[in-house]
């Protein structure tokens, strides 16, 4: 059993330390962006309605006093998500707690909770791969035209705002990522024009978005999308060096939350082992609600 004893919890053992450095995952990206609904007491399945779009042709011109005899059917499809458990357990020995000068037990709760939150992100970003609408593609480098292409497809589907663009770290900061599209490399050699000299020229930025990227290392929005990143996104899809980013409207993805909440952490004493068991559990299920409200953006990041 992988117990947290003095052999593994040695970071603050027998020492006086100022701070404990916790290696957190970047988590809780997706929860605010999707359609979340809590299951009612006595049930663990949430059903999301997917409304079919009514074409403009259904609104026919009708003369004054003439009955509209054509009845338009408003149809919905049921998209169901069933809550399941996502569990992490850690057993912490008494001696490890006694010998650590930092707050070992308090930090354990933070670390386990963070891991469960990262798993929630992982489950939700996997749904991005299932959108049938696509931009860019395997072995293709991301371009701004792909971002605008995703916007075009969402608008054509009548997807409501806001629109979200969720990318992997390499799709944002990598040499083939979106930040690289907002500046030109510095010139340090002559020859690109008849007036060039060998004097180096600074990086050329693409307007305010290029300046934003240079100043803060990130852009909050582009082409009508709010931009997010998640390190849970697959950056080597089918071992091809491609990352599975996506764009979507909130109604594209549904999240079913457990009837007693999304997250719980409990402790249980095991006196004979002189340990305390910590169990963190996440209660959720996820489903694609409306396929046309999402766009899969697979791009080369190798």
């Amino acid at each position: 059993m992988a117990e947290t004893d003095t052999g593994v919890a040695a970071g603050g053992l027998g020492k006086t330390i100022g701070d404990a450095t916790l290696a957190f995952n970047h988590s809780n990206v997706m929860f605010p962006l999707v359609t979340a609904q809590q299951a009612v007491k006595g049930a663990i399945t949430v059903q999301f309605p997917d409304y079919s779009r009514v074409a403009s042709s259904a609104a026919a011109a009708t003369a004054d006093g003439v009955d509209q005899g054509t009845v338009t059917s408003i149809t919905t499809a049921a998209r169901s998500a069933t809550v399941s458990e996502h569990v992490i357990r850690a057993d912490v020995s008494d001696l490890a707690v006694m010998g650590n000068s930092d707050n070992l037990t308090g930090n354990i709760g933070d670390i386990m909770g963070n891991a469960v939150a990262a798993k929630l992100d992982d489950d939700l970003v996997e749904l991005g791969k299932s959108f049938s609408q696509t931009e860019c593609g395997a072995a293709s480098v991301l371009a701004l035209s792909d971002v605008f292409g995703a916007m075009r497809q969402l608008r054509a589907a009548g997807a409501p705002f806001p629109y979200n663009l969720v990318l992997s770290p390499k799709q944002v900061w990598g040499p083939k990522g979106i930040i690289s599209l907002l500046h030109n490399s510095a010139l340090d050699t002559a020859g690109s024009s008849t007036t060039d000299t060998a004097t180096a020229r600074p990086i050329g930025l693409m307007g305010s978005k290029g300046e934003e990227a240079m100043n803060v290392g990130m852009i909050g929005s582009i082409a009508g999308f709010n931009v997010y990143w998640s390190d849970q996104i697959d950056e080597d899809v089918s071992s091809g060096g491609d990352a599975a980013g996506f764009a979507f409207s909130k109604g594209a993805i549904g999240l079913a939350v457990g009837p007693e909440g999304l997250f719980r952490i409990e402790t249980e004493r095991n006196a004979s082992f002189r340990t305390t068991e910590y169990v963190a559990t996440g209660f959720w299920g996820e489903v694609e609600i409306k396929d046309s409200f999402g766009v899969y953006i697979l791009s080369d990041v190798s």
Side-chain angles (χ1 to χ4, degrees):
M1 183 180 296
E3 185 173 292
T4 305
D5 56 18
T6 56
V8 297
L13 192 64
K15 303 174 184 176
T16 301
I17 57 177
D19 297 292
T21 302
L22 308 180
F24 281 168
N25 296 307
H26 176 67
S27 61
N28 198 30
V29 176
M30 293 294 295
F31 181 77
L33 308 181
V34 302
T35 299
Q37 181 64 49
Q38 188 168 4
V40 298
K41 189 71 173 179
I44 59 170
T45 298
V46 173
Q47 188 167 287
F48 299 90
D50 175 7
Y51 284 83
S52 297
R53 192 176 184 183
V54 176
S56 61
S57 58
T62 306
D64 184 24
V66 176
D67 179 52
Q68 170 58 285
T70 302
V71 178
T72 298
S73 177
I74 308 298
T75 62
T76 64
R79 313 297 183 193
S80 297
T82 300
V83 174
S84 61
E85 296 177 320
H86 307 77
V87 187
I88 300 174
R89 171 183 165 182
D91 294 359
V92 184
S93 74
D94 293 348
L95 204 57
V97 174
M98 294 176 191
N100 270 270
S101 56
D102 64 323
N103 184 15
L104 179 60
T105 55
N107 292 336
I108 283 171
D110 291 341
I111 292 170
M112 294 175 70
N114 183 266
V116 174
K119 176 58 178 173
L120 174 60
D121 279 343
D122 182 62
D123 285 355
L124 290 171
V125 299
E126 275 297 302
L127 290 179
K129 295 179 179 178
S130 64
F131 294 134
S132 58
Q133 298 182 128
T134 63
E135 286 291 336
C136 205
S140 296
V141 177
L142 185 67
L144 286 177
S145 59
D146 298 316
V147 179
F148 284 107
M151 173 65 69
R152 173 190 60 79
Q153 295 196 64
L154 293 180
R155 283 181 175 270
F161 282 100
Y163 292 166
N164 305 302
L165 182 64
V166 184
L167 303 173
S168 81
K170 288 183 179 179
Q171 283 180 310
V172 176
W173 295 285
K176 299 175 182 178
I178 199 166
I179 296 294
S180 69
L181 303 176
L182 302 178
H183 69 270
N184 298 315
S185 299
L187 295 176
D188 57 6
T189 58
S192 61
S193 76
T194 56
T195 59
D196 272 349
T197 67
T199 304
R201 296 192 302 189
I203 290 173
L205 301 177
M206 194 183 84
S208 62
K209 283 300 164 186
E211 293 175 1
E212 181 183 351
M214 187 61 63
N215 288 335
V216 302
M218 180 64 185
I219 52 172
S221 63
I222 191 169
F225 287 100
N226 296 320
V227 180
Y228 302 90
W229 67 276
S230 173
D231 55 13
Q232 301 303 311
I233 289 179
D234 186 356
E235 291 191 318
D236 194 20
V237 176
S238 300
S239 301
D242 303 304
F246 57 99
F248 72 107
S249 174
K250 189 169 187 175
I253 295 174
L255 176 69
V257 177
E260 295 183 359
L262 184 64
F263 175 78
R264 181 176 70 202
I265 187 164
E266 300 173 280
T267 61
E268 183 177 358
R269 182 68 185 158
N270 192 332
S272 63
F273 278 98
R274 287 86 60 208
T275 61
T276 301
E277 297 177 8
Y278 292 81
V279 180
T281 309
F283 302 91
W284 69 79
E286 67 286 340
V287 67
E288 180 187 292
I289 300 174
K290 198 167 190 68
D291 182 68
S292 62
F293 284 8
V295 180
Y296 182 28
I297 304 176
L298 183 67
S299 71
D300 176 34
V301 293
S302 61

